[in-house]
Amino acid sequence: MIEIALYQPDIAQNAATSVRLAACLGLTIHIIEPAGFVWNTRDFRRAGMDYIDQANIVRQPDWETFMSVMVGRRIVLATTHAQTAYTAFDFQADDILLAGRESAGVPDRVRDGIDHHVCIPMQPDTRSLNVAVATAMITGEAMRQTAWQAG
């Protein structure tokens, strides 16, 4: 089943919104630490509401640990550096959808170690979407392509 991964998220509200998305869709979400916020802050809990307790959250202490757990899984990175639009990419049912930090994406060493990169085409004078919005868009397309259904 498709899973979501957030690389060192900076903003509690965005991470919690993605956790809420995962809970509602029944997906596992990996939080690759360190995060840029205290885990159970008021902002995190407010944005995630009671869905945080319903979500299958896997906290990974670092990138290396995450990668050791994901051996054999295909990771698809959402990045503004990609040439392939997420709607033109062929998702597979067991893909891990990876989003980077709000402030900086992922480091070059992480990006270079991932074979599959997708982007959301945007207007020329824009930089990026909110990471939770981008995660939701790409997750929705991956689910549509793989004929995933809730429940």
Side-chain angles (χ1 to χ4, degrees), residues 47-105:
M49 300 172 49
D50 58 337
Y51 295 98
I52 290 173
D53 297 327
Q54 297 177 33
N56 184 17
I57 303 169
V58 179
R59 292 174 66 184
Q60 305 287 358
D62 53 47
W63 176 249
E64 290 72 23
T65 302
F66 172 74
M67 289 301 289
S68 71
V69 172
M70 294 298 128
V71 170
R73 301 281 303 269
R74 189 171 82 156
I75 298 173
V76 181
L77 174 64
T79 174
T80 58
H81 299 282
Q83 300 299 311
T84 304
Y86 76 106
T87 52
F89 185 79
D90 291 323
F91 289 96
Q92 296 175 3
D94 64 344
D95 283 343
I96 307 295
L97 309 177
L98 176 64
R101 300 177 74 185
E102 293 88 348
S103 62

Side-chain angles (χ1 to χ4, degrees), residues 6 19 22 27 30 51 64 96 120 127 132:
L6 303 180
V19 167
L27 305 177
H30 300 266
Y51 295 98
E64 290 72 23
I96 307 295
I120 298 171
R127 288 188 318 270

Side-chain angles (χ1 to χ4, degrees), residues 5-144:
L6 303 180
Y7 180 86
Q8 299 181 355
D10 291 326
I11 301 172
Q13 296 92 326
N14 288 341
T17 298
S18 294
V19 167
R20 185 176 175 182
L21 171 73
C24 288
L25 300 178
L27 305 177
T28 296
I29 184 164
H30 300 266
I31 306 294
I32 303 164
E33 307 223 17
F37 55 88
V38 176
W39 185 253
N40 272 329
T41 63
R42 185 174 143 191
D43 291 338
F44 182 77
R45 293 213 71 55
R46 184 177 342 127
M49 300 172 49
D50 58 337
Y51 295 98
I52 290 173
D53 297 327
Q54 297 177 33
N56 184 17
I57 303 169
V58 179
R59 292 174 66 184
Q60 305 287 358
D62 53 47
W63 176 249
E64 290 72 23
T65 302
F66 172 74
M67 289 301 289
S68 71
V69 172
M70 294 298 128
V71 170
R73 301 281 303 269
R74 189 171 82 156
I75 298 173
V76 181
L77 174 64
T79 174
T80 58
H81 299 282
Q83 300 299 311
T84 304
Y86 76 106
T87 52
F89 185 79
D90 291 323
F91 289 96
Q92 296 175 3
D94 64 344
D95 283 343
I96 307 295
L97 309 177
L98 176 64
R101 300 177 74 185
E102 293 88 348
S103 62
V106 298
D108 291 344
R109 69 176 177 80
V110 170
R111 187 175 60 244
D112 294 346
I114 297 172
D115 293 332
H116 305 285
H117 302 172
V118 297
C119 67
I120 298 171
M122 297 181 295
Q123 295 299 307
D125 293 331
T126 59
R127 288 188 318 270
S128 65
L129 288 166
N130 173 288
V131 71
V133 170
T135 299
M137 290 173 66
I138 295 168
T139 300
E141 176 62 13
M143 291 169 53
R144 182 193 70 78

